[in-house]
Amino acid sequence: MTIGKNFISTQDWSKNELDELLQSASDIKKSPYNNSLKNKNLVMLFFNPSLRTRVSFEVAMNQLGGSAVSLNSGQDSWKLEHVEGAVMDHSTTEHIKDAARVLSRYADAIAIRCFPSMNSWEEDRKDLVMGSFAKYATVPVINMESSMHHPCQALADIMTVKEHAGNLKGKKLVLAWSNHPRQLPTAVPNSIALIASRFGMDTVIAHPKDYELDSDVMHAVEENCRANGSTFKVVNKLDDGLKGADFVYAKSWGSAKYYGRPDSEKSVRAKLRGWKITRQNMLLTKKARFMHCLPIRRNVEADDEVIDSSDSLVYEQAENRLHVQKALLNLLIGGGS
Ligand code: CP
């Protein structure tokens, strides 16, 4: 395992490294407390809200004997600029170039949450804020969800799937677009599609027309499946996706066609209320387990009786965030577990 690298996307790490990380997470789950991160400090910078990510990283550092400092960018720290060569005579106060270099003098790793602006897809898909931290920090940078990726969620998700399915060969995971009152980013759907395909699952994405995911991500998913001898399919009917599924991962995301124009998308979404996971449509699956990264809009994305059923893994996914992040922190800044 390479120590001291960034964790921006699971695609950047080899399969062996990811396997090692997951094995370490399983070991830590059985024995959660030690001093492997004694005197280590993590700085977490949030451009956006969080419940699970923030608390699980703070608790992970504490339970391994280290410390975490959380900052909300633009609220209890300065508003940051990411544009290279910017003439900073407008609202931003500090450049990421300076912030990343300074934080690297204090902390052993820097973790960043930076959602997309949801104004311009062409800009958001470049993941510039995360890229700027990765460029200028001199300590490992951890992605706590950027425009394009949520790799810690993906690790927790695949750990959860492996705990329930064992061998993933021939197991079918459907990423099912679900309705939601707001346009949401694509980091989670990108990440679950990438990790499921990377681990050899038959991967299906079910979404309405005009809700295609980024073409580069889709090519990577296709390539992951090809390399693993698994299958990859995109369907535009929810029921077609659900048929024979072993895992149903519900998630909403915004349409690239209406990107930055939420008002124009509203009337489209109003016709997509059927894109919801219900007890009835779960009967199409192979007694599938239900997954979601949370937070979830109950009875919009999925019905209460699905989320609260014994087939739901949502709290196991959330718990596994803690274990995989401990394993990740150990590997990045603890010198191995
Ligand atoms: N799933 C997830 O990242 O949750 P939070 O947004 O609450 O951190």
Side-chain angles (χ1 to χ4, degrees):
M1 165 65 65
T2 312
I3 305 296
K5 68 198 287 190
N6 297 330
F7 189 61
I8 307 295
S9 161
T10 54
Q11 286 292 109
D12 303 334
W13 286 40
S14 72
K15 178 68 169 39
N16 280 346
E17 286 173 325
L18 296 175
D19 283 337
E20 194 179 327
L21 200 47
L22 291 174
Q23 183 55 54
S24 169
S26 296
D27 296 342
I28 289 168
K29 191 168 183 172
K30 291 179 207 126
S31 177
Y33 307 101
N34 63 53
N35 269 328
S36 59
L37 296 181
K38 189 167 188 292
N39 294 329
K40 300 288 182 179
N41 286 286
L42 173 71
V43 168
M44 298 190 287
L45 189 55
F46 288 91
F47 289 76
N48 314 94
S50 164
L51 186 146
R52 279 144 291 273
T53 304
R54 185 175 194 142
V55 174
S56 57
F57 264 110
E58 285 199 19
V59 170
M61 286 302 293
N62 289 337
Q63 290 186 351
L64 297 182
S67 300
V69 177
S70 280
L71 294 170
N72 297 309
S73 177
Q75 294 170 42
D76 46 22
S77 72
W78 303 114
K79 192 166 180 196
L80 296 176
E81 177 63 60
H82 68 271
V83 175
E84 294 285 328
V87 177
M88 290 173 53
D89 60 357
H90 49 97
S91 64
T92 53
T93 308
E94 179 159 27
H95 202 284
I96 290 174
K97 183 187 285 197
D98 301 314
R101 286 170 173 164
V102 169
L103 293 175
S104 299
R105 303 268 177 131
Y106 302 142
D108 299 282
I110 302 172
I112 308 292
R113 167 162 284 199
C114 50
F115 290 176
S117 68
M118 302 300 290
N119 291 323
S120 157
W121 178 234
E122 279 316 306
E123 277 305 299
D124 285 345
R125 75 192 294 276
K126 296 179 194 161
D127 232 346
L128 292 174
V129 172
M130 188 58 65
S132 189
F133 274 100
K135 180 174 176 183
Y136 291 112
T138 55
V139 295
V141 173
I142 297 170
N143 184 346
M144 298 194 295
E145 189 174 344
S146 66
S147 293
M148 291 298 286
H149 299 286
H150 196 355
C152 297
Q153 183 67 51
L155 278 183
D157 293 340
I158 204 67
M159 178 175 176
T160 309
V161 167
K162 278 165 70 72
E163 286 173 340
H164 286 273
N167 183 2
L168 303 188
K169 186 79 194 151
K171 294 288 190 317
K172 174 176 162 180
L173 181 142
V174 58
L175 167 60
W177 185 88
S178 53
N179 211 331
H180 193 284
R182 291 181 49 229
Q183 282 188 332
L184 295 187
T186 56
V188 169
N190 288 346
S191 301
I192 185 64
L194 287 168
I195 200 84
S197 56
R198 195 78 185 287
F199 276 76
M201 301 188 80
D202 290 336
T203 306
V204 178
I205 304 179
H207 63 68
K209 207 171 146 297
D210 295 330
Y211 285 79
E212 289 74 21
L213 290 170
D214 184 73
S215 57
D216 286 352
V217 173
M218 288 301 91
H219 285 138
V221 172
E222 203 170 359
E223 180 53 29
N224 286 346
C225 287
R226 197 200 55 71
N228 285 308
S230 56
T231 61
F232 174 46
K233 207 159 61 167
V234 178
V235 296
N236 293 138
K237 285 191 179 145
L238 179 57
D239 286 359
D240 289 348
L242 294 175
K243 277 178 200 148
D246 297 291
F247 293 87
V248 173
Y249 198 115
K251 186 72 187 86
S252 191
W253 63 87
S255 162
K257 182 172 175 182
Y258 299 99
Y259 206 82
R261 296 185 292 129
D263 290 343
S264 310
E265 197 183 351
K266 262 190 186 140
S267 59
V268 178
R269 279 174 184 261
K271 297 186 192 119
L272 299 174
R273 294 208 175 99
W275 285 79
K276 177 173 74 161
I277 305 300
T278 64
R279 193 169 53 155
Q280 199 59 33
N281 62 26
M282 282 292 275
L283 293 175
L284 294 168
T285 71
K286 224 158 62 188
K287 274 193 71 55
R289 300 300 191 133
F290 174 77
M291 302 181 74
H292 192 284
C293 62
L294 304 182
I296 189 167
R297 296 278 185 144
R298 282 175 172 262
N299 304 308
V300 178
E301 294 185 75
D303 281 344
D304 279 340
E305 57 188 355
V306 174
I307 304 167
D308 296 330
S309 82
S310 56
D311 290 326
S312 170
L313 302 180
V314 297
Y315 305 125
E316 292 180 41
Q317 292 171 259
E319 183 194 326
N320 282 337
R321 290 290 303 274
L322 178 63
H323 309 304
V324 297
Q325 287 160 197
K326 281 182 176 172
L328 178 67
L329 289 162
N330 267 341
L331 287 162
L332 290 179
I333 62 174
S337 60

